């Protein structure tokens, strides 16, 4: 099976662990003796109940979340959270702090503003084309929350550690680095992540909300846009994206049982990042686009001497079974997304290809 699979550097939807895909295949026609596919059973059945509850428990164990955190599986992508977070969590007369570190933060800010919410953009790296993570930020005392994007998928930057916000809860878009490393959950009031980068297929968004944040949810919101609706219904107010949740469950199981948790996952991710940045730093042919202390361990962005060569690089890589290396259409250049499911072996193949390509040119 492995032989004809591509070395997958897609930014999202992205690679999934091969053992997970094999498990899905093996039980696809007859899920645990039910005589049905998991895509055919009721979301009210004992089979799906077990799936969603197991997925929730695994999220809690992997992230070491206390019982005052609720784990939800929602729809609408991370983009829906850009609107839901301010709608639910900024009360009348309050404002929220946002740090603008790229395309996704810019969208999050806009979605809060169009609702008439007061947004303080307390820091931005737009002055240098979002190539760094701002430091020494003054946050607003009494703000509803501080919004951060932990990893900037398009620009290739990542918060190495989270800032001290003076007790103001952080609301964080972790779409492209959730489960890639451990962190202290106590800083966060809300975490959200579209699944399709690091934990599953498109169609489901993982949302983690702290109990006290629920007190802010206004009564008069539509049910589908209220966090409290999904907390009280175990994410099943309406039909959830069953197959996406099931795939996430298997990825989370792989993370716990095969990888051995987030400390191990982080070690592997650091090693992958190190060998890739090493070839970029030690070869005049390649130039990393993010400042060194802001570099992402998930999305490695780089340029070649010309756009012509970049095109050639992406095409020749593909001929050699390495796919998904084109940078985001808004920025150009090249990008290797090396999420959890992309192994060191795959990154090593890329590194060898990069060395050889540079040598030939
Ligand atoms: C991909 C991505 C998004 C958008 O996610 P959707 O699920 O497509 O809405 C938002 N934020 C970050 C950081 C992303 O990487």
């Amino acid at each position: 099976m492995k032989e004809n699979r591509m070395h997958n550097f897609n930014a999202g939807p992205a690679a999934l662990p091969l053992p997970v895909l094999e498990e899905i295949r093996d039980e696809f026609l007859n899920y645990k003796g039910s005589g049905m596919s998991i895509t055919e059973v009721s979301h009210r059945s004992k089979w799906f109940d077990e799936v969603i509850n197991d997925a929730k428990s695994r999220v809690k164990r992997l992230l070491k979340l206390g019982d005052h955190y609720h784990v939800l599986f929602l729809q609408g992508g991370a983009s829906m959270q850009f609107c839901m977070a301010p709608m639910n969590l900024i009360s009348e007369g309050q404002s929220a702090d946002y740090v603008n570190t790229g395309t996704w933060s810019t969208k999050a800010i806009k979605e809060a503003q169009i609702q008439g919410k007061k947004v303080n953009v307390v820091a931005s790296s737009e002055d240098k084309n979002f190539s760094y993570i701002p430091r020494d930020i003054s946050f607003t005392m009494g703000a509803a929350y501080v919004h951060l994007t932990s990893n900037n998928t398009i620009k290739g930057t990542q918060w190495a550690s989270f800032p001290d916000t003076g007790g103001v809860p952080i609301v964080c878009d972790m779409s492209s680095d959730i489960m890639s490393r451990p962190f202290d959950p106590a800083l966060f009031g809300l975490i959200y992540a579209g699944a399709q980068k690091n934990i599953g297929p498109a169609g489901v968004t993982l949302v983690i909300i702290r109990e006290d944040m629920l007190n802010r949810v206004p009564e008069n919101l539509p049910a589908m846009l209220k966090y409290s609706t999904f907390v009280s219904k175990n994410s099943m107010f309406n039909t959830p994206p069953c197959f996406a949740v099931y795939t996430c469950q298997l990825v989370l199981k792989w993370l716990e049982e095969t990888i051995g948790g987030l400390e191990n996952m982080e070690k592997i991710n650091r090693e992958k990042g190190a060998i890739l940045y090493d070839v970029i730093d030690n070869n005049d042919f390649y130039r990393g686009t993010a400042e060194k202390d802001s570099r992402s361990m998930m999305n490695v962005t780089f340029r070649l001497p010309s756009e012509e060569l970049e095109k050639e690089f992406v095409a020749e890589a593909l001929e050699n079974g390495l796919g998904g290396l084109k940078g985001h259409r808004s920025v150009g250049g090249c990008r290797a997304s090396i999420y959890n499911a992309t192994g060191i072996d795959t990154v090593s193949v890329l590194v060898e290809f990069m060395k050889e390509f540079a040598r030939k040119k």
Side-chain angles (χ1 to χ4, degrees):
M1 210 47 214
K2 210 169 170 194
E3 304 77 61
N4 52 13
R5 283 182 49 81
M6 197 175 73
H7 294 296
N8 188 344
F9 298 97
N10 282 337
L16 287 168
L18 184 58
V20 166
L21 296 175
E22 288 170 336
E23 192 169 352
I24 293 170
R25 177 197 60 196
D26 291 346
E27 61 189 16
F28 193 64
L29 297 186
N30 187 354
Y31 183 73
K32 300 207 186 305
S34 64
M36 294 175 280
S37 170
I38 190 69
T39 57
E40 298 176 299
V41 305
S42 164
H43 60 290
R44 311 279 178 207
S45 67
K46 69 169 176 152
W47 294 288
F48 189 73
D49 227 33
E50 271 174 31
V51 165
I52 198 164
N53 289 330
D54 185 59
K56 262 170 56 174
S57 309
R58 289 185 188 279
V59 169
K60 285 198 159 182
R61 283 198 298 271
L62 282 159
L63 296 179
K64 301 189 167 64
L65 303 176
D67 284 336
H68 56 305
Y69 282 95
H70 300 279
V71 176
L72 308 175
F73 297 96
L74 307 188
Q75 298 188 63
S79 301
M80 180 68 108
Q81 296 309 306
F82 296 162
C83 98
M84 268 178 85
M87 189 180 283
N88 281 262
L89 305 179
I90 306 178
S91 308
E92 197 71 30
Q94 265 194 317
S95 67
D97 285 0
Y98 277 70
V99 180
N100 193 3
T101 50
T103 315
W104 300 116
S105 317
T106 303
K107 289 193 178 188
I109 290 165
K110 189 164 166 224
E111 291 295 303
Q113 285 172 334
I114 59 171
Q115 298 177 52
K117 302 289 185 183
K118 186 157 180 286
V119 167
N120 323 305
V121 180
V122 289
S124 165
S125 50
E126 196 170 6
D127 58 336
K128 290 187 186 167
N129 197 21
F130 298 113
S131 59
Y132 69 101
I133 298 291
R135 259 158 264 279
D136 304 321
I137 304 166
S138 307
F139 296 101
T140 311
M141 276 232 316
Y145 58 75
V146 173
H147 184 280
L148 305 177
T149 311
S150 56
N151 181 72
N152 299 282
T153 326
I154 295 173
K155 310 290 179 181
T157 64
Q158 186 177 26
W159 291 81
S161 60
F162 294 104
D164 179 1
T165 57
V168 176
I170 298 177
V171 167
C172 196
D173 177 359
M174 291 198 189
S175 293
S176 52
D177 70 350
I178 184 113
M179 300 290 173
S180 70
R181 56 178 176 174
F183 58 83
D184 177 10
L187 304 168
F188 298 89
L190 180 86
I191 293 167
Y192 61 90
Q196 68 273 22
K197 274 105 187 197
N198 228 356
I199 51 171
V204 68
T205 311
L206 175 66
V207 173
I208 296 161
I209 187 165
R210 204 170 66 197
E211 176 73 25
D212 60 290
M213 304 297 280
L214 291 168
N215 299 332
R216 308 179 180 190
V217 178
E219 259 317 303
N220 61 351
L221 295 183
M224 284 294 288
L225 294 175
K226 257 175 157 167
Y227 290 120
S228 44
T229 302
F230 296 94
V231 168
S232 66
K233 299 287 186 190
N234 197 24
S235 299
M236 291 186 282
F237 170 71
N238 68 329
T239 317
C242 299
F243 187 70
V245 174
Y246 156 75
T247 307
C248 289
Q249 180 215 2
L250 297 185
V251 173
L252 296 164
K253 184 170 78 151
W254 170 83
L255 266 171
E256 271 198 296
E257 296 175 9
T258 305
I259 298 297
L262 299 191
E263 284 79 8
N264 288 354
M265 194 69 252
E266 180 178 27
K267 264 189 221 141
I268 298 168
N269 285 331
R270 285 196 176 282
E271 198 175 328
K272 280 151 50 184
I275 61 170
L276 198 40
Y277 284 117
D278 190 58
V279 72
I280 290 170
D281 289 342
N282 292 306
N283 199 318
D284 288 342
F285 191 72
Y286 301 105
R287 183 174 55 83
T289 59
E291 290 187 8
K292 282 192 181 173
D293 57 1
S294 302
R295 281 174 164 175
S296 167
M297 289 295 136
M298 298 277 99
N299 308 97
V300 177
T301 49
F302 56 97
R303 306 291 316 226
L304 275 61
S306 70
E307 282 185 26
E308 224 20 74
L309 281 166
E310 285 166 351
K311 259 194 210 138
E312 228 181 284
F313 175 85
V314 170
E316 196 173 318
L318 193 58
E319 282 167 23
N320 284 275
L322 299 146
L325 291 165
K326 196 166 180 282
H328 190 267
R329 56 196 148 74
S330 65
V331 293
C334 299
R335 170 176 58 175
S337 296
I338 49 171
Y339 300 121
N340 288 351
T342 300
I344 293 182
D345 49 342
T346 284
V347 178
S348 303
V349 174
L350 173 60
V351 163
E352 287 317 310
F353 174 80
M354 286 172 74
K355 285 184 190 163
E356 180 61 18
F357 189 85
R359 200 185 55 75
K360 281 191 312 195
K361 293 299 160 190

